[in-house]
Amino acid sequence: MKANKTLDLSQYEFRNIPGFDQNNFQGFDQAIPMKTIVIYCFDPRASEIPKTVADYLGNEVYPGENIVDEAGIRVGHTRTLFAMSNGGGRALQALQTIATMDYLFHYENVVVVHHSFCGMTSYTPELLIEKFHHHHHVDISGMWDHEDMAIVDYEKTIRHDVDLLRNSPLVPKHLNIYGFFYEINSGQLTEIVRDIATKK
Ligand SMILES: [Zn+2]
């Protein structure tokens, strides 16, 4: 449906709800108890990763269900583990979400998962740069750290992504960061790094 003048979209914004005070906002934890963010690849063969991580960590609810009030309004959800996918399940692409969601939720863990036979293992950063330049006449060699462009060695890349999060000023220091490898055929999850926050 195309937006038109009769539909006032501003009515759907929290800031415009009568009684909502953005200056005294304490977060949405009462409505949705977000505890863990999982970053994984959008490869559909890896879609069971969030549920597998929830089972591995324990004390997590996934997928959970809506909490609805008498009027039928969705006032919350029981999910504690939030899934965020991108090409490769890379940490770099998740930084903005991690930083901004800290305003809304008091979550504790960030988990990075890379999976077997990921498309990102089919080339090297150098090849990607060369092909992109050839096809699109744009030099992307200076855009990102080359480690972020491909998966050349799973263990190194998982550690790279965990370190990237730990060392980024956008990632609050109280968060625990985990790095996993997931085998898509067996469904087995292997913990590679566990970086528990020293500051709470
Ligand atoms: Zn993948």
Side-chain angles (χ1 to χ4, degrees), residues 41-43 87-89 115 117-120:
C41 186
F42 64 9
D43 185 328
H115 70 93
F117 305 109
C118 183
M120 265 202 163

mmCIF file with all atom_site columns, all heavy atoms in Angstrom, residues 41-43 87-89 115 117-120, ligand 1:
data_model
loop_
_atom_site.group_PDB
_atom_site.id
_atom_site.type_symbol
_atom_site.label_atom_id
_atom_site.label_alt_id
_atom_site.label_comp_id
_atom_site.label_asym_id
_atom_site.label_entity_id
_atom_site.label_seq_id
_atom_site.pdbx_PDB_ins_code
_atom_site.Cartn_x
_atom_site.Cartn_y
_atom_site.Cartn_z
_atom_site.occupancy
_atom_site.B_iso_or_equiv
_atom_site.pdbx_formal_charge
_atom_site.auth_seq_id
_atom_site.auth_comp_id
_atom_site.auth_asym_id
_atom_site.auth_atom_id
_atom_site.pdbx_PDB_model_num
ATOM   1  N  N   . CYS A 1 41  ? 25.362 -15.825 9.624  1.00 0.00 ? 41  CYS A N   1
ATOM   2  C  CA  . CYS A 1 41  ? 25.236 -15.634 8.169  1.00 0.00 ? 41  CYS A CA  1
ATOM   3  C  C   . CYS A 1 41  ? 23.793 -15.819 7.705  1.00 0.00 ? 41  CYS A C   1
ATOM   4  O  O   . CYS A 1 41  ? 23.069 -16.661 8.218  1.00 0.00 ? 41  CYS A O   1
ATOM   5  C  CB  . CYS A 1 41  ? 26.141 -16.629 7.451  1.00 0.00 ? 41  CYS A CB  1
ATOM   6  S  SG  . CYS A 1 41  ? 26.197 -16.380 5.653  1.00 0.00 ? 41  CYS A SG  1
ATOM   7  N  N   . PHE A 1 42  ? 23.407 -15.054 6.698  1.00 0.00 ? 42  PHE A N   1
ATOM   8  C  CA  . PHE A 1 42  ? 22.040 -15.175 6.173  1.00 0.00 ? 42  PHE A CA  1
ATOM   9  C  C   . PHE A 1 42  ? 21.857 -16.334 5.193  1.00 0.00 ? 42  PHE A C   1
ATOM   10 O  O   . PHE A 1 42  ? 20.788 -16.496 4.608  1.00 0.00 ? 42  PHE A O   1
ATOM   11 C  CB  . PHE A 1 42  ? 21.518 -13.848 5.619  1.00 0.00 ? 42  PHE A CB  1
ATOM   12 C  CG  . PHE A 1 42  ? 22.243 -13.261 4.422  1.00 0.00 ? 42  PHE A CG  1
ATOM   13 C  CD1 . PHE A 1 42  ? 23.210 -13.958 3.716  1.00 0.00 ? 42  PHE A CD1 1
ATOM   14 C  CD2 . PHE A 1 42  ? 21.914 -11.975 4.001  1.00 0.00 ? 42  PHE A CD2 1
ATOM   15 C  CE1 . PHE A 1 42  ? 23.847 -13.406 2.618  1.00 0.00 ? 42  PHE A CE1 1
ATOM   16 C  CE2 . PHE A 1 42  ? 22.540 -11.401 2.903  1.00 0.00 ? 42  PHE A CE2 1
ATOM   17 C  CZ  . PHE A 1 42  ? 23.511 -12.125 2.221  1.00 0.00 ? 42  PHE A CZ  1
ATOM   18 N  N   . ASP A 1 43  ? 22.883 -17.134 5.042  1.00 0.00 ? 43  ASP A N   1
ATOM   19 C  CA  . ASP A 1 43  ? 22.765 -18.375 4.261  1.00 0.00 ? 43  ASP A CA  1
ATOM   20 C  C   . ASP A 1 43  ? 21.608 -19.184 4.851  1.00 0.00 ? 43  ASP A C   1
ATOM   21 O  O   . ASP A 1 43  ? 21.628 -19.515 6.041  1.00 0.00 ? 43  ASP A O   1
ATOM   22 C  CB  . ASP A 1 43  ? 24.087 -19.150 4.388  1.00 0.00 ? 43  ASP A CB  1
ATOM   23 C  CG  . ASP A 1 43  ? 24.132 -20.406 3.529  1.00 0.00 ? 43  ASP A CG  1
ATOM   24 O  OD1 . ASP A 1 43  ? 23.075 -21.028 3.325  1.00 0.00 ? 43  ASP A OD1 1
ATOM   25 O  OD2 . ASP A 1 43  ? 25.240 -20.761 3.083  1.00 0.00 ? 43  ASP A OD2 1
ATOM   26 N  N   . GLY A 1 87  ? 25.754 -11.051 5.463  1.00 0.00 ? 87  GLY A N   1
ATOM   27 C  CA  . GLY A 1 87  ? 26.598 -11.905 4.641  1.00 0.00 ? 87  GLY A CA  1
ATOM   28 C  C   . GLY A 1 87  ? 27.831 -12.341 5.421  1.00 0.00 ? 87  GLY A C   1
ATOM   29 O  O   . GLY A 1 87  ? 28.681 -11.527 5.740  1.00 0.00 ? 87  GLY A O   1
ATOM   30 N  N   . GLY A 1 88  ? 27.912 -13.619 5.763  1.00 0.00 ? 88  GLY A N   1
ATOM   31 C  CA  . GLY A 1 88  ? 29.068 -14.148 6.480  1.00 0.00 ? 88  GLY A CA  1
ATOM   32 C  C   . GLY A 1 88  ? 28.918 -14.173 8.003  1.00 0.00 ? 88  GLY A C   1
ATOM   33 O  O   . GLY A 1 88  ? 29.692 -14.808 8.697  1.00 0.00 ? 88  GLY A O   1
ATOM   34 N  N   . GLY A 1 89  ? 27.928 -13.434 8.525  1.00 0.00 ? 89  GLY A N   1
ATOM   35 C  CA  . GLY A 1 89  ? 27.790 -13.342 9.975  1.00 0.00 ? 89  GLY A CA  1
ATOM   36 C  C   . GLY A 1 89  ? 28.935 -12.558 10.577 1.00 0.00 ? 89  GLY A C   1
ATOM   37 O  O   . GLY A 1 89  ? 29.527 -12.952 11.583 1.00 0.00 ? 89  GLY A O   1
ATOM   38 N  N   . HIS A 1 115 ? 29.876 -20.252 9.780  1.00 0.00 ? 115 HIS A N   1
ATOM   39 C  CA  . HIS A 1 115 ? 29.426 -21.620 9.495  1.00 0.00 ? 115 HIS A CA  1
ATOM   40 C  C   . HIS A 1 115 ? 30.223 -22.292 8.373  1.00 0.00 ? 115 HIS A C   1
ATOM   41 O  O   . HIS A 1 115 ? 30.818 -21.609 7.522  1.00 0.00 ? 115 HIS A O   1
ATOM   42 C  CB  . HIS A 1 115 ? 27.936 -21.607 9.125  1.00 0.00 ? 115 HIS A CB  1
ATOM   43 C  CG  . HIS A 1 115 ? 27.664 -20.982 7.791  1.00 0.00 ? 115 HIS A CG  1
ATOM   44 N  ND1 . HIS A 1 115 ? 27.587 -21.710 6.629  1.00 0.00 ? 115 HIS A ND1 1
ATOM   45 C  CD2 . HIS A 1 115 ? 27.472 -19.689 7.432  1.00 0.00 ? 115 HIS A CD2 1
ATOM   46 C  CE1 . HIS A 1 115 ? 27.334 -20.892 5.620  1.00 0.00 ? 115 HIS A CE1 1
ATOM   47 N  NE2 . HIS A 1 115 ? 27.270 -19.661 6.075  1.00 0.00 ? 115 HIS A NE2 1
ATOM   48 N  N   . PHE A 1 117 ? 31.240 -24.211 4.986  1.00 0.00 ? 117 PHE A N   1
ATOM   49 C  CA  . PHE A 1 117 ? 30.916 -23.998 3.576  1.00 0.00 ? 117 PHE A CA  1
ATOM   50 C  C   . PHE A 1 117 ? 30.226 -22.657 3.340  1.00 0.00 ? 117 PHE A C   1
ATOM   51 O  O   . PHE A 1 117 ? 29.301 -22.548 2.531  1.00 0.00 ? 117 PHE A O   1
ATOM   52 C  CB  . PHE A 1 117 ? 30.104 -25.175 3.029  1.00 0.00 ? 117 PHE A CB  1
ATOM   53 C  CG  . PHE A 1 117 ? 30.803 -26.483 3.257  1.00 0.00 ? 117 PHE A CG  1
ATOM   54 C  CD1 . PHE A 1 117 ? 30.325 -27.398 4.192  1.00 0.00 ? 117 PHE A CD1 1
ATOM   55 C  CD2 . PHE A 1 117 ? 31.981 -26.779 2.575  1.00 0.00 ? 117 PHE A CD2 1
ATOM   56 C  CE1 . PHE A 1 117 ? 31.010 -28.584 4.433  1.00 0.00 ? 117 PHE A CE1 1
ATOM   57 C  CE2 . PHE A 1 117 ? 32.661 -27.963 2.812  1.00 0.00 ? 117 PHE A CE2 1
ATOM   58 C  CZ  . PHE A 1 117 ? 32.171 -28.867 3.745  1.00 0.00 ? 117 PHE A CZ  1
ATOM   59 N  N   . CYS A 1 118 ? 30.682 -21.645 4.063  1.00 0.00 ? 118 CYS A N   1
ATOM   60 C  CA  . CYS A 1 118 ? 30.158 -20.282 3.878  1.00 0.00 ? 118 CYS A CA  1
ATOM   61 C  C   . CYS A 1 118 ? 30.688 -19.747 2.555  1.00 0.00 ? 118 CYS A C   1
ATOM   62 O  O   . CYS A 1 118 ? 31.842 -19.986 2.184  1.00 0.00 ? 118 CYS A O   1
ATOM   63 C  CB  . CYS A 1 118 ? 30.614 -19.380 5.027  1.00 0.00 ? 118 CYS A CB  1
ATOM   64 S  SG  . CYS A 1 118 ? 29.932 -17.704 4.925  1.00 0.00 ? 118 CYS A SG  1
ATOM   65 N  N   . GLY A 1 119 ? 29.847 -19.011 1.842  1.00 0.00 ? 119 GLY A N   1
ATOM   66 C  CA  . GLY A 1 119 ? 30.257 -18.414 0.573  1.00 0.00 ? 119 GLY A CA  1
ATOM   67 C  C   . GLY A 1 119 ? 31.480 -17.536 0.715  1.00 0.00 ? 119 GLY A C   1
ATOM   68 O  O   . GLY A 1 119 ? 32.281 -17.396 -0.217 1.00 0.00 ? 119 GLY A O   1
ATOM   69 N  N   . MET A 1 120 ? 31.678 -16.951 1.894  1.00 0.00 ? 120 MET A N   1
ATOM   70 C  CA  . MET A 1 120 ? 32.809 -16.061 2.137  1.00 0.00 ? 120 MET A CA  1
ATOM   71 C  C   . MET A 1 120 ? 34.147 -16.795 2.137  1.00 0.00 ? 120 MET A C   1
ATOM   72 O  O   . MET A 1 120 ? 35.196 -16.151 2.201  1.00 0.00 ? 120 MET A O   1
ATOM   73 C  CB  . MET A 1 120 ? 32.638 -15.322 3.467  1.00 0.00 ? 120 MET A CB  1
ATOM   74 C  CG  . MET A 1 120 ? 32.014 -13.947 3.333  1.00 0.00 ? 120 MET A CG  1
ATOM   75 S  SD  . MET A 1 120 ? 32.442 -12.932 4.781  1.00 0.00 ? 120 MET A SD  1
ATOM   76 C  CE  . MET A 1 120 ? 32.072 -11.297 4.160  1.00 0.00 ? 120 MET A CE  1
HETATM 77 ZN ZN  . ZN  B 2 .   ? 27.679 -17.982 4.998  1.00 0.00 ? 1   ZN  B ZN  1
#
